Each structure stands twice: as structure tokens, then as C-alpha cells.
Amino acid sequence: MISESSLPIRRLTLYKHGVAFVQRQGDLSGEEVRLVFRADEVNDALKSLLAIDRRGGQVLGIHYATPADEAARLAESPITLSDDHSLVDLLRSLRGWRVRLVTGDATQSQTLAGQLLGVDLADERPLRDSAVALLDEASGAVLALPLRAVRQIFLMEERAQQDLRFFLETSRSEEMHRTITVRLSAGDHDLAVSYLIPSPTWRVSYRLVAEAVAAETGGSAPSEAAPQVQRSGTLLLQGWGLFDNRLEEDLEGVSVTLVAGQPISFVYDLAASRIPPRPVVQDAARVAAGPVEFEPAVQDAFGGAVAASAPAGRETLYSTRSARMMPMSAPMAAASIQQLAKQTSAAAGSELGELFQYEVVAPVTVRRGESALVPILNAQLPYRRELLFNERKLPDHPVAALRFANATGLVLERGPVTVLEDGAYHGEALVPFTREGGEVYLAFSVELGIKIDVARSMSQETAGIRIVGALLEMKQATVNRTTYRLESSLATAHAVTIEHPIWIGADLVDTPAPEARTSEVYRWTITCPPRRATTFTVAERRYDWQASQLLDVAYANLQEFFRRRWLDAETVGRIRALLDERAAIARNVDEIGRLEMERQEIYAREEQLRKNMAALGTAGDEGALRKQVVAQLQTSEDRLGALLERMAALNEENTRREEAIAAQLVAIAVGDTSGPGQASGGA
């Protein structure tokens, strides 16, 4: 048998989503190779393990112990040994098995063979006074042998030996580790084995050394007193990949590759053994007929989930800039960017479809349980230094930022960066995930010498109308104005880039065109004079439509629409006529309401008259009074008839007027009157 040490690790590929691809290779002879994994690595290893014999031999199989709870495995063994009475427990477990016992000492011993009956334990001193009962196969007698006299026990049956070995192997197995055995054909092999295992995600950190040059000084470093609007120069960007050796062996001269991206990955429980439940069916000849029932099958799918790493965000951290910078040490200050660049080699980068990998040039040696930083990036790039203001990220002051294009030939993975500028530490930032050719903004320090106040105002007015059927839609123009006031206490002029959030659906008005636009912000560069204040205003206008019923418009509004030439005289006249019709309908409705109230009063009065008439007789004074009540009822009935007739006429008139209004509304259609160049809704 050959251990995994015969197959050293040749290449280690680490992924950001928490897995490592291990490649082993070596020359060996034998028929087995053992690979030891942590318990949490087995499922990934079984899912991905690939073994290839480069000399043409055969890989006959891959075997592993079925993982189970140790107590459950031991329960399957007929032999059970405790921690403090293992000999007594063994003799008890061998009851009925043929054994050979050797008693006595080296000078005088006796060998007895037979079937073991068990152990009789004394109450107080079990090991001193206990006895072993044995059925002697030679004499047929049952012998009681002192337990303390037994020196050797030989198991005479193979099954008992197997049970004891199973118990001992199970007891010594470590729950934290699993062994996978690769079985090979006989002979010599050049075996290559690869597999996936869980691994801590690798990280990246950057160092940025910038040498600024002022445009006005022709290449010399700027002084505090020299006027400067923008500064530029060359920077050295170094990237270091950090990873951990979680393997239980040292890495000696291993090729390391760090992969950026987000491949789909998950854990699938292949190692666990499952027996799905099945219906229990009884013997039909012994069970009376009854209802047939089937136990529902419980499907236990894989117990994992797709691993997802958080997407790389474009947030920026800010660090407060000191009033005075401490100078760097003399060796660092004396070293140029070109000298620093020669001291570290970059990794070789390459695209892998949607992934990107950094292949570390030099072999890596990392001890077990240690971590290491390896160089993956070393590039000189031109840059421009800017002051950048974004109120949402940092109010009141702009931040100093370095702006450059990713011309490294590599993808920049997200990570922290320490900024050294002109021989001094100036701050820290986060490098965002950036593809080749993408632009990078690194905000690393706050410029306290420039104070920025932001003021906002809003105005709203009607910009036009349109008529669609019975609806009057009014176009409302909302204008938001944001004024940035930049007040500088610095002795030189500085350019400040204003980042203004984009108002979705709005257009810029009375504002210069932005120098740049992202998906979220506009950018303008404003020159901030020394020890003075300057202002910059951004005006944005957005149109929204508000709908109301056309016939709810007031006469005064019609006159305003006519004055602003949104409606012509003919259309105003037609709408006025419709409003008159609507007013006539309203008057009819009011009259119908009054008539209805009168009708209800008559009904109430008639009810009282009928009650009075029921109490009167037909002769004498009561008869005369009864005739008066009848006359009053007749008058009320005549009035009720007139009321109902008038109400019916009014309802008929309203129906006729509403039909005429509906017909007229169909004929009236006015499109967007806000004028050319604006968004048109149409009719």
C-alpha cells in the first residue's frame, strides 16, 4: 500500500468561492494509493476525484469507508468493549464461541479448550475474585477458572476473530478524517490525481506608489505654493495574493494559481449511505384481507446549496488626511518607481471564459498551517490626481482620488490598497473589481481645505395639456436646482470633480453638458480658486402627466388654456358648451332631489291622514270630517302625480344631455400642447 506522500502536490488552484483544485503526480509501484481527507472534504473529493495512469496502467476503482456514526457502527458488532473492563467485556461477548485459554505463569501453565460460558463477577472485587466458566471439550466438564489466572485467550473461530477486528478498527477510526483508496493494476505507475476540496477564499491586497508631476512645472514635483489645477504622473501598482495552507502537509515548490470569478459550485452528499423507506408487505396467506396502504417515499435530496460569493461592489472607503505628512524612510524615498518595479515579478494572467486566473511565476513553499502572500501584479501606469466630491458618499468635503485606466493586462480583483504618494503615506482605499481597460477611481484621503455646501430648491408649473376622451391630462414640469458652493482655504487653485446623482427621467436645463456620465452620476470639473468661494448649479427638469375629468375643469382654467394658446377658440367654445350642458344636468339633479324630498313629505302626510280617517265614522260631524280628509288625500295624490311626471321628464332630459356630451367628447381630441422638443403623449 502506498500513502499519499508518494503523490506530492504539484499544482494548487484556489478559487474565490471557497474551493481548491489539488493536482498530485508521482512515480510509484504497487496496487493501492491512500488519500486521507478531512470529513468535510469527502463529498467534494468524491464528486471530483480523477486518477490517470500516464504509463497506461489501469485505475480499477476508488474505495472508501462508508461514513456513519461510530456508535451506530459499533452497535452492529456482537463484541462490545468498555473503556475500563475490556477483558471482562470480551469474555462476556465470546459466550458460546470456542476458545483456548492459557492459565498460570511462565514456569507453570495450563492450556484448556472449549466453549466459553461467561464470567461470574464478585460484587466488591470483580477482577480479584471473579471466575471464568468454560465447557471443557476434552472432559465435557464445566470448569470455573479464576479470572486473574487467565494469561492468554485464543479465538478458535474465524468469525469471532473478524468481529473483534471490526470492533477494534471501528474504535480507532477518527471521525475527523476519511481515507479514499485508489486501486491500480499491478506494476509501475506515473499517477496523476486531481480533486476539489473546500478551502478558505484567497484575498488580494495592493500597494500603490505614486510620483506626482505638476503640469505647469514641466516635470518637477509640485510645491505647496505653486499653482496647480490638476496633478498627474506615474504610479506603481503592486498586487499580492493571500492564501492559507489548510492542507495537512507542507507545500514544497508548488505551482499556485489564483482564480477570480464566480463559477457555480455546491455540496452534494455522496459519501452518506441511505436506505429509502419501503412499504412493508405481509405474507398474504397469514394476513386477513384489508385495506391496501403504501407508505409515502421520502426523497432526501442533496443537502447543500449553490455557493455564492458577494458581487464586487464599487464602494469607496475614505481616510482622514493629516495636516502634515511624515516623510518616508531614506531608503524608500531614494528608490524610484522603476527600481521598485524591478524587485517584484508579476503573475501571468489569462482569461478562462468568464473566469480570470493569476498564475504565480515562482514555485511556492508554504508550511502546513501557515499563510503566504505571493506577487500577482506589478505594473507602472499613468494617472491623474483629482479632488472628487459626492455628497452621498461623504458630505462637506471632497476626497483626494487617483484616476487611472486598468492597462495592466490583468483583471483587478477587489481588495484594499495602501497609497504612498511622493514618498509619504497618504491613505487607503478599495480597488473595485475592474476588467482590462476599465477606469479606476481610488479615493484615499479627505481634503479638509475645501468646504462644500449643497443647497436645493424645487419649482413646478404646468407646461402643456392634452385631451383624451373624457380626460384632461396636464403636463407638469418639475425643476430641481442643486447649487454647490465651494469655499477654499488653500493657497493654490484646485480642480474639483463634482459627482451629481442622475434624476431618472429628467433632462439637464440651463446647465453645461457633463464631462462624463456613469449609470448613476454626472461629472463636472470645477476650478476652485485659492481662498475664495465659487458656485455651480445643476438644474434638472422632469415632466409628469396628471389626469382629471375634462368636465371638472373650471371656466377660468379654460380662459388660461386659451391665453397660453393650448386651446383654440373653437375648442374652448365646444368645451364651454359641454360645461353648460354639465351645469344644466347638475341643476336638474338638484331639482330632482327637491322633488323627491317633497314626495317623501306627501307620503308621510297621507299616512297620517289615513290613520285619522280610520278613526272617523260615516255619519254626522265625523262623516263630514271624513269627507274633508278624503278631499285632502285626493289633492295629495294629484300632487304626487305631477311630481312623478316632472321627475321623469328631468331624468329623461339628463339622459339626453349625457348622451350628447358623450358624443361631443369623442369628437374633441387635443394632443400634447407643450411644443416641439418635449416628450409627447399624443391623443
Side-chain angles (χ1 to χ4, degrees):
M1 181 176 295
I2 303 167
S3 68
E4 63 181 350
S5 60
S6 301
L7 287 177
I9 296 176
R10 304 296 187 186
R11 177 175 290 276
L12 181 64
T13 304
L14 300 171
Y15 292 81
K16 291 290 288 184
H17 68 287
V19 299
F21 186 62
V22 181
Q23 293 172 270
R24 298 178 179 270
Q25 188 272 328
D27 295 326
L28 51 89
S29 297
E31 298 181 4
E32 288 185 351
V33 173
R34 294 182 59 184
L35 303 172
V36 180
F37 297 92
R38 291 186 177 92
D40 63 346
E41 298 173 345
V42 174
N43 283 313
D44 281 312
L46 293 176
K47 181 178 63 177
S48 59
L49 194 146
L50 175 64
I52 299 175
D53 189 346
R54 297 180 178 180
R55 292 185 181 174
Q58 291 185 334
V59 177
L60 303 179
I62 298 174
H63 298 254
Y64 63 97
T66 304
D69 180 74
E70 180 179 339
R73 295 199 305 270
L74 292 176
E76 299 176 0
S77 173
I79 294 179
T80 303
L81 307 181
S82 63
D83 294 335
D84 50 358
H85 297 99
S86 57
L87 180 59
V88 174
D89 294 336
L90 175 62
L91 293 173
R92 283 176 166 176
S93 300
L94 293 176
R95 182 176 185 178
W97 294 96
R98 294 178 62 248
V99 298
R100 188 168 69 250
L101 303 180
V102 178
T103 63
D105 53 25
T107 60
Q108 184 179 1
S109 63
Q110 180 183 11
T111 301
L112 300 170
Q115 283 182 289
L116 194 63
L117 274 67
V119 181
D120 294 329
L121 297 178
D123 293 337
E124 298 180 356
R125 298 181 181 179
L127 294 182
R128 181 178 181 85
D129 301 326
S130 300
V132 179
L134 179 71
L135 176 60
D136 185 29
E137 63 181 13
S139 64
V142 176
L143 305 179
L145 306 173
L147 178 60
R148 64 178 180 273
V150 176
R151 297 290 181 261
Q152 291 178 309
I153 303 173
F154 294 92
L155 306 184
M156 301 178 64
E157 298 188 43
E158 179 65 25
R159 176 61 184 274
Q161 297 176 16
Q162 293 178 358
D163 290 343
L164 180 58
R165 281 196 295 267
F166 175 80
F167 178 87
L168 295 176
E169 290 291 335
T170 303
S171 298
R172 78 173 186 176
S173 64
E174 299 181 22
E175 289 298 314
M176 298 300 296
H177 294 84
R178 301 282 188 270
T179 298
I180 295 179
T181 302
V182 180
R183 294 187 177 176
L184 308 169
S185 58
D188 296 334
H189 309 277
D190 179 8
L191 189 64
V193 175
S194 63
Y195 49 83
L196 283 174
I197 57 172
S199 175
T201 182
W202 66 273
R203 291 86 69 200
V204 64
S205 68
Y206 299 92
R207 293 93 170 99
L208 191 152
V209 181
E211 292 181 354
V213 178
E216 294 81 2
T217 59
S220 60
S223 64
E224 290 297 329
Q228 50 180 299
V229 175
Q230 289 183 337
R231 302 168 69 189
S232 60
T234 301
L235 63 82
L236 171 66
L237 182 63
Q238 287 187 352
W240 294 79
L242 291 79
F243 71 95
D244 312 312
N245 180 10
R246 186 177 181 267
L247 302 169
E248 297 190 343
E249 60 186 285
D250 295 339
L251 298 177
E252 297 282 353
V254 174
S255 297
V256 173
T257 301
L258 308 177
V259 179
Q262 191 171 330
I264 294 175
S265 182
F266 52 85
V267 177
Y268 198 103
D269 193 356
L270 291 172
S273 178
R274 293 186 181 88
I275 300 177
R278 295 178 295 163
V280 176
V281 180
Q282 302 291 343
D283 188 346
R286 299 182 182 179
V287 181
V292 179
E293 297 181 5
F294 294 92
E295 182 181 356
V298 178
Q299 300 294 332
D300 186 9
F302 57 87
V306 175
S309 58
R314 290 187 171 270
E315 57 190 285
T316 305
L317 295 183
Y318 304 96
S319 57
T320 305
R321 181 181 178 183
S322 305
R324 297 179 61 187
M325 294 293 179
M326 296 299 295
M328 298 180 65
S329 61
M332 179 62 74
S336 66
I337 285 182
Q338 288 74 17
Q339 292 172 327
L340 294 173
K342 294 178 181 179
Q343 297 177 9
T344 306
S345 59
S350 60
E351 295 280 353
L352 293 176
E354 65 282 352
L355 306 178
F356 189 89
Q357 68 178 14
Y358 306 87
E359 298 180 15
V360 180
V361 176
V364 176
T365 297
V366 184
R367 301 304 176 193
R368 173 182 175 182
E370 293 184 355
S371 301
L373 285 80
V374 293
I376 61 174
L377 173 65
N378 196 51
Q380 298 182 56
L381 305 169
Y383 80 96
R384 187 172 67 185
R385 191 183 197 274
E386 297 182 355
L387 294 179
L388 188 67
F389 178 75
N390 186 315
E391 185 189 17
R392 293 183 176 180
K393 296 182 179 180
L394 185 71
D396 301 332
H397 301 281
V399 293
L402 299 182
R403 176 182 179 182
F404 60 91
N406 179 17
T408 63
L410 302 174
V411 169
L412 299 182
E413 182 65 33
R414 184 173 183 266
V417 59
T418 301
V419 178
L420 306 177
E421 187 180 22
D422 296 336
Y425 164 79
H426 273 237
E428 301 163 13
L430 277 179
V431 175
F433 181 86
T434 310
R435 290 280 184 181
E436 167 70 13
E439 190 175 63
V440 180
Y441 262 93
L442 296 182
F444 60 89
S445 181
V446 179
E447 180 51 79
L448 300 177
I450 297 178
K451 178 72 166 60
I452 300 180
D453 295 317
V454 182
R456 295 179 176 83
S457 63
M458 185 185 71
S459 61
Q460 191 175 55
E461 65 176 5
T462 301
I465 66 170
R466 65 186 180 193
I467 299 175
V468 182
L471 294 179
L472 170 66
E473 298 182 353
M474 303 181 68
K475 192 173 188 178
Q476 300 293 332
T478 302
V479 178
N480 281 333
R481 288 180 172 81
T482 305
T483 300
Y484 296 91
R485 185 178 185 274
L486 296 78
E487 184 176 352
S488 173
S489 60
L490 302 176
T492 58
H494 284 74
V496 178
T497 299
I498 300 291
E499 281 195 349
H500 180 81
I502 295 175
W503 187 19
I504 302 300
D507 299 319
L508 295 172
V509 292
D510 302 328
T511 304
E515 299 169 12
R517 172 177 176 167
T518 70
S519 61
E520 297 180 355
V521 297
Y522 297 115
R523 286 182 181 143
W524 290 272
T525 300
I526 309 301
T527 300
C528 189
R531 296 190 176 93
R532 287 176 55 191
T534 186
T535 60
F536 177 74
T537 300
V538 179
E540 298 168 285
R541 179 176 58 197
R542 188 171 75 178
Y543 293 103
D544 297 291
W545 290 94
Q546 296 181 358
S548 60
Q549 294 294 323
L550 176 61
L551 298 184
D552 290 340
V553 65
Y555 288 102
N557 289 340
L558 280 178
Q559 295 299 326
E560 178 64 17
F561 297 159
F562 176 73
R563 185 188 66 79
R564 302 185 69 168
R565 299 184 179 180
W566 292 341
L567 297 177
D568 55 25
E570 180 183 357
T571 303
V572 170
R574 295 169 66 181
I575 296 175
R576 184 184 294 275
L578 294 179
L579 294 178
D580 292 342
E581 288 289 303
R582 182 71 177 272
I585 292 174
R587 290 193 296 271
N588 290 345
V589 170
D590 291 341
E591 184 178 353
I592 291 173
R594 293 193 299 272
L595 295 177
E596 176 63 25
M597 292 177 60
E598 183 181 354
R599 188 165 70 98
Q600 295 299 327
E601 292 174 357
I602 292 175
Y603 281 150
R605 189 165 58 252
E606 284 186 345
E607 182 66 22
Q608 185 61 42
L609 289 173
R610 289 188 178 92
K611 290 180 180 179
N612 294 337
M613 188 175 63
L616 297 174
T618 57
D621 292 339
E622 289 187 0
L625 185 57
R626 183 183 181 87
K627 289 180 180 180
Q628 292 179 8
V629 172
V630 171
Q632 291 177 4
L633 287 173
Q634 185 60 45
T635 302
S636 296
E637 285 298 319
D638 293 341
R639 180 55 181 167
L640 282 175
L643 291 177
L644 292 174
E645 182 178 354
R646 176 58 179 168
M647 292 170 66
L650 292 174
N651 284 322
E652 182 179 356
E653 180 183 342
N654 282 352
T655 300
R656 186 171 61 254
R657 290 180 181 275
E658 288 173 353
E659 291 176 350
I661 290 174
Q664 289 296 322
L665 286 176
V666 174
I668 297 177
V670 178
D672 185 0
T673 62
S674 57
Q678 307 294 348
S680 176

